[in-house]
Amino acid sequence: MSAVTEEILSFEEAMEKYDPVLGFEVHVELNTKTKMFSSAPNVFGDEPNTAITPVDLGLPGVLPTVNKAAVESSIKIGLALGCKIAPSCTFARKQYFYPDTPKNFQTSQYEDPIAFDGSIDIELEDGTVFTVEIERAHMEEDAGKLTHMGGATGRIQGADFSLVDYNRAGVPLVEIVTKPIEGAGSRAPELAKAYVAAIREIVKNLGVSDAKMERGNVRCDANVSLRPYGQEKFGTRSETKNVNSLRAVERAVRFEIQRHAAVLDSGEKVVQETRHWHEDTRSTTSGRPKSDADDYRYFPEPDLLPVVTTEEWIEELRAQLPEPPAERRKRLKTDWGYSDAEFRDVVNAGVMDAIEETIAAGASAAVARKWWMGEVSRRAKEAEVDPVDVGVTPELIVELDKLVQAGKINDKLSRQVLDGVLAGEGTPEEVIEKRGLAVVSDDGPLLEAIDAALAAQPDVAEKIRGGKVQAAGAIVGGVMKATRGQADAGRVRELIFERLGVQG
Amino acid sequence: MSEINREAVAHLARLAHIEMTAGELDKMAGELDVIVDSIKSVQEAAGPDVPATSHPIPLANVFREDVVGETLTQEQALSGAPDSADGRFKVPAILDEE
């Protein structure tokens, strides 16, 4: 495919003229121990073509059998998406001819998916809520992995041959398909990102998928179409394949809106086709148009029997569902008494779980937030890692807080203690000992420092004597400096007033 | 009349990346036509009161527990492959799919 740069309209102009309609197909790889239809291990990164059985290779005479755990995970996903669960459903063969499937068909579901007619509420960063309707969630199997060899770019164009590893072939997948999403307007790119993030969070929270996008555990195909405002009929859509990070989902939807708008503006028609997202150029290129190659000739899989779900089975699985992520966030926010902005910052910093653990370990909600959003986040930023990867544990924060509460160290010293612990100098107590960081609690040395500070700033001393108690700050500062921060500022203040014979 | 004609066979051959000569297309169309016609007689036997079924035995929920079983070795997996390299199946680059 030649790298023709396509015209795009500015996003703002596109939004003035056209109303975007979105749709998503998200594939979730389940983390069952074995594959969907064979007892081969469901693993990532093994030696090529070792995690396979004759079933995965589609060898003659094999009989696939359904993994019960994968069916249960699929039902859980359906329930978490508010779907109805089919009383009975079947598998179907989706025929296509490409080396990533050795069988020349993918075992999937067609007319009767296991879950259908659901909806989830997607909350954007500013709190706006969009309801996304789920059309269906069906069970299927993943394909093998192709590596294109030869040629200049390593991409398929110009490749001489391809190498196939079938370890991934047969890994259980659940494909979640939305109904057309209307009315998102200029929030469409943001909604796209938030939707995929919500699906990822839900399946991770359910424990049914490792949900790592960088490993392809969650993969998104994004459909975009535009229509003039007021028109009911949808425009022609493009389907951008395998957009594999949250940021890419947002950017790809934004780009496609801009590209469609330019096509429509020039009086042309949007081609219904597959597009490929390129992170390097932040644009999509044409894949192949929808054609008779998409003639999948589905038919019922004769080797597999229907899956029948009883009310008891569904309720048993429903009872195992964890608290939904959105509800959990609401509960924690109320419990902790954070403001909307404070809580949003906590979520965005990825420290909600860490704060919950810190509170469970004995810290107050305020103290936990202060540490994770303050000192820990600052260090994370410096080291360019996530706050939870700085090496600070909830227990360490609780320990430091106890030392501050007990007056052994103050806030400032506690940060130095943290430095020492992170540098491997031992426990907080040991660091205090080794670095000599304990607060000076003996009044003798403090009084000495106070006298020196008062003598150095006689004008300030005079002001305090005259009743200007706020002037004491300058003296406190002098004392803290002289004691290298190891004084208890509150006690210093008291002593200054005592010394000068005024009421604080 | 059957739905299988020469054109349908040519279309399926194209989907399956199989090259067929004009003679082969004619022969295959004729043979498939006979097969489809034979199966059609089943539809005549089953009246509207017989529900569609995908399986002759009224069974459901034949499941496997999620326990890892025996796998093939890489050598076994590749033993039937026309060509292989680096422990993987080697196939011609297919250009029209991606």
Side-chain angles (χ1 to χ4, degrees), chain A residues 5-19:
Chain A
T5 312
E6 286 173 280
E7 293 292 321
I8 60 168
L9 227 57
S10 79
F11 185 73
E12 289 67 29
E13 202 181 337
M15 292 319 309
E16 267 171 37
K17 295 177 175 171
Y18 302 103
D19 176 20

Side-chain angles (χ1 to χ4, degrees), chain A residues 378-395:
Chain A
R378 191 179 61 73
R379 283 155 205 266
K381 212 170 190 176
E382 274 172 17
E384 295 183 357
V385 296
D386 288 332
V388 289
D389 294 329
V390 167
V392 175
T393 61
E395 292 70 29

Side-chain angles (χ1 to χ4, degrees), chain A residues 34-35 48 66 162 164 295 308, chain B residues 11 61 64 66 74 87 89 91:
Chain A
T34 66
K35 292 187 178 178
V66 177
S162 305
V164 198
D295 182 359
V308 171
Chain B
H11 171 61
N61 293 357
R64 177 174 51 77
D66 190 21
Q74 197 180 69
F89 293 81
V91 298

